[in-house]
């Protein structure tokens, strides 16, 4: 899975490829401040993982991020009903 580094809402182009068995890595050597002494807000995104419909990212840059992918096995039923309203018209034979 590929994790993308984002700085102040803009993709940096830096990526990590996480794989087992540990599924962890670290973006290292990043500047803490931008010009003017303002701290950079780092976040991460993840490329889409096939068959995993739900992705949540929790944490902070200081404590680390946890990316959780949930496999979508839940199924739903979608009921459909057809009604005819004829008013003054004769009923059609469909």
């Amino acid at each position: 899975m590929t994790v993308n580094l984002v700085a102040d809402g803009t993709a940096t182009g830096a990526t990590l490829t996480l794989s087992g068995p540990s599924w962890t890595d670290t973006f290292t050597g990043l500047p803490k401040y931008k010009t003017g002494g303002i701290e950079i807000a780092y976040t991460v995104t993840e490329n889409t993982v096939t068959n995993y419909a739900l992705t949540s990212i929790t944490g902070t840059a200081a404590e680390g991020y946890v990316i959780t992918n949930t496999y979508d096995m839940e199924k739903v039923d979608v009921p459909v009903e057809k009604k005819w309203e004829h008013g003054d018209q004769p009923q059609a034979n469909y």
Side-chain angles (χ1 to χ4, degrees):
M1 108 178 50
T2 301
V3 178
N4 309 290
L5 181 66
V6 177
D8 293 328
T10 301
T12 65
T15 63
L16 293 174
T17 300
L18 303 182
S19 61
S22 69
W23 294 95
T24 62
D25 204 342
T26 303
F27 289 102
T28 60
L30 303 173
K32 185 171 183 174
Y33 300 99
K34 58 186 169 186
T35 305
I38 300 169
E39 191 167 344
I40 299 169
Y42 289 106
T43 56
V44 296
T45 63
E46 178 190 38
N47 292 0
T48 302
V49 178
T50 304
N51 294 328
Y52 286 78
L54 305 172
T55 298
S56 68
I57 300 174
T58 57
T60 66
E63 65 187 32
Y65 288 102
V66 175
I67 302 171
T68 304
N69 299 105
T70 303
Y71 188 74
D72 183 18
M73 292 188 61
E74 187 173 348
K75 305 294 182 204
V76 298
D77 295 330
V78 179
V80 177
E81 178 180 354
K82 172 69 176 158
K83 290 187 178 186
W84 294 91
E85 294 186 15
H86 303 289
D88 295 349
Q89 302 300 316
Q91 183 172 348
N93 294 322
Y94 292 108

